[in-house]
Amino acid sequence: MTNSSATLAITPEVVRDHGLTPDEYEKLKALLGGREPSITELGIFSVMWSEHCSYKSSKVHLRQFAEEAPPSGALLAGIG
């Protein structure tokens, strides 16, 4: 039995299907010393950097919350 995922080419479509942007893919390659990731490595990084794990789209919104309540007392609880 052969492992078809071992021969899967990492194309822009495969990167996009894993939920990574082209910039994130370049960052991944840099982390791997400039080499192309295997399909398994691509999958692992795509999960680690997924919306569920890293809140990519909500980071900008979460930054608007303060660590402590402002003088008005409008913040009921801080992040964390």
Side-chain angles (χ1 to χ4, degrees):
M1 178 182 263
T2 61
N3 184 352
S4 61
S5 67
T7 59
L8 182 64
I10 307 295
T11 64
E13 293 78 21
V14 171
V15 171
R16 185 183 63 241
D17 290 347
H18 278 77
L20 296 176
T21 66
D23 287 340
E24 289 170 331
Y25 182 68
E26 291 304 317
K27 182 177 181 180
L28 168 55
K29 287 193 327 186
L31 289 169
L32 294 173
R35 70 173 174 81
E36 297 286 328
S38 69
I39 192 67
T40 302
E41 291 167 329
L42 182 66
I44 291 169
F45 275 89
S46 72
V47 170
M48 289 187 337
W49 293 347
S50 72
E51 176 67 31
H52 175 76
C53 293
S54 70
Y55 304 100
K56 289 194 285 189
S57 67
S58 55
K59 283 181 186 177
V60 68
H61 302 292
L62 292 173
R63 286 190 187 114
Q64 70 183 335
F65 294 106
E67 292 287 327
E68 298 178 15
S72 70
L75 183 64
L76 299 178
I79 304 298

